């Protein structure tokens, strides 16, 4: 089932190109990518090493700027924003989950999760309510007073996810969020993200090399040599059937072998 583009468009990229290096010897990583993500979608981005998937995520997430093209989030062209304006936009509208957690060692789980809202205008009661809601959803409310060095990898990643979701962002970007986790912790995190996606209608864009992780998505975009190669849609399929579709495309593109679900 393809996306219904009569729905609200959350993210749109128009002819995105990204090059590194000086003119004349520049390396072109993204070669004219256009895509659209609808509100409530959970979109995966996959591709072989060097395909440009992380570069694309960084450009879409406003971490990097395109050499050419436009990135619109909720119809706002973020690719032309100045740094201060962009920083405020990220803080209010976007959430980020990274493979390396990016937690502050001197803050507790609760303090790490509350960091985004502490920069906003929520009062203490609202912040506490928001923390309880997201911590319960992620199953980490009992870890509130622990520090990062006291946590397992899965607990750190769920804390990172809580920080990304605490301010109910319009759009969440995830870069290999299960890359450093064992299979049990990875499955638990992906189930949680998928549930939050369904229940809160949060829009998620995730880069992953792992077809098992991508099988939790509603759609997967495949890159090859800096361009979109193909897309697969889950629709009403089971996750196992969608996993097989993803594997079929990855077999053509080339990629790491994984255990079947």
């Amino acid at each position: 089932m393809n996306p219904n583009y009569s729905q609200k468009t959350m993210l749109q990229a128009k002819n995105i190109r990204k090059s590194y290096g000086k003119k004349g010897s520049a390396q072109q990583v993204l070669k004219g990518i256009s895509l659209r993500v609808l509100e409530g979608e959970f979109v995966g981005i996959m591709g072989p090493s060097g395909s440009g998937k992380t570069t694309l995520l960084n450009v879409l997430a406003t971490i990097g700027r395109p050499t050419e093209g436009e990135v619109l989030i909720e119809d706002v062209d973020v690719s032309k924003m100045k740094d201060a304006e962009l920083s405020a936009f990220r803080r209010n509208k976007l959430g980020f989950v990274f493979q390396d957690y990016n937690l502050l060692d001197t803050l507790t789980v609760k303090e790490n999760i509350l960091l985004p809202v502490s920069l906003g205008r929520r009062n203490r009661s609202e912040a506490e309510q928001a923390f309880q809601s997201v911590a319960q959803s992620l199953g980490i409310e009992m870890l509130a007073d622990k520090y990062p060095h006291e946590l397992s990898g899965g607990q750190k990643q769920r804390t990172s996810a809580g920080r990304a979701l605490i301010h109910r962002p319009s759009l969440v970007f995830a870069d290999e969020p299960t890359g450093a986790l064992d299979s049990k912790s990875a499955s638990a995190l992906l189930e949680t993200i998928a549930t939050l996606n369904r229940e809160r209608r949060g829009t998620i864009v995730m880069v992953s090399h792992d077809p098992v992780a991508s099988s939790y998505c509603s759609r997967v975009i495949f890159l090859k040599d800096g361009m979109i190669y193909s897309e697969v849609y889950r629709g009403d399929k089971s996750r196992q059937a969608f996993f097989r579709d993803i594997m079929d495309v990855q077999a053509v593109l080339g990629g790491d072998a994984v255990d079947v679900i």
Side-chain angles (χ1 to χ4, degrees), residues 65-205:
R65 294 184 183 270
T67 305
E68 297 179 34
E70 298 177 346
V71 177
L72 288 82
I73 298 177
E74 293 187 315
D75 295 324
V76 176
D77 188 352
V78 296
S79 54
K80 292 183 173 59
M81 282 184 176
K82 294 182 179 179
D83 289 346
E85 185 181 12
L86 192 56
S87 178
F89 185 89
R90 286 194 200 104
R91 187 168 62 246
N92 294 324
K93 294 286 187 179
L94 308 181
F96 302 90
V97 183
F98 299 103
Q99 180 178 339
D100 57 0
Y101 319 130
N102 285 346
L103 301 177
L104 297 180
D105 293 336
T106 57
L107 300 182
T108 64
V109 165
K110 184 174 183 178
E111 289 166 341
N112 266 289
I113 289 176
L114 286 174
L115 196 57
V117 297
S118 69
L119 301 173
R121 298 179 179 178
R122 289 195 188 185
N123 60 42
R124 183 173 296 181
S125 176
E126 289 175 334
E128 180 64 29
Q129 188 175 12
F131 170 76
Q132 291 298 333
S133 175
V134 75
Q136 186 174 14
S137 296
L138 291 165
I140 53 175
E141 62 270 30
M142 76 293 294
L143 303 175
D145 297 324
K146 290 188 177 293
Y147 289 87
H149 72 271
E150 300 176 287
L151 305 178
S152 68
Q155 290 169 338
K156 288 178 182 178
Q157 192 58 289
R158 279 183 281 167
T159 301
S160 176
R163 184 184 55 198
L165 298 167
I166 186 70
H167 60 301
R168 290 184 174 269
S170 301
L171 186 56
V172 175
F173 293 98
D175 185 8
E176 300 281 8
T178 62
L181 304 180
D182 60 61
S183 58
K184 183 178 179 180
S185 296
S187 295
L189 177 67
L190 289 163
E191 289 284 3
T192 300
I193 291 175
T195 298
L196 292 172
N197 167 250
R198 290 192 302 269
E199 294 180 354
R200 297 191 180 191
R201 298 296 296 162
T203 308
I204 302 168
V205 177

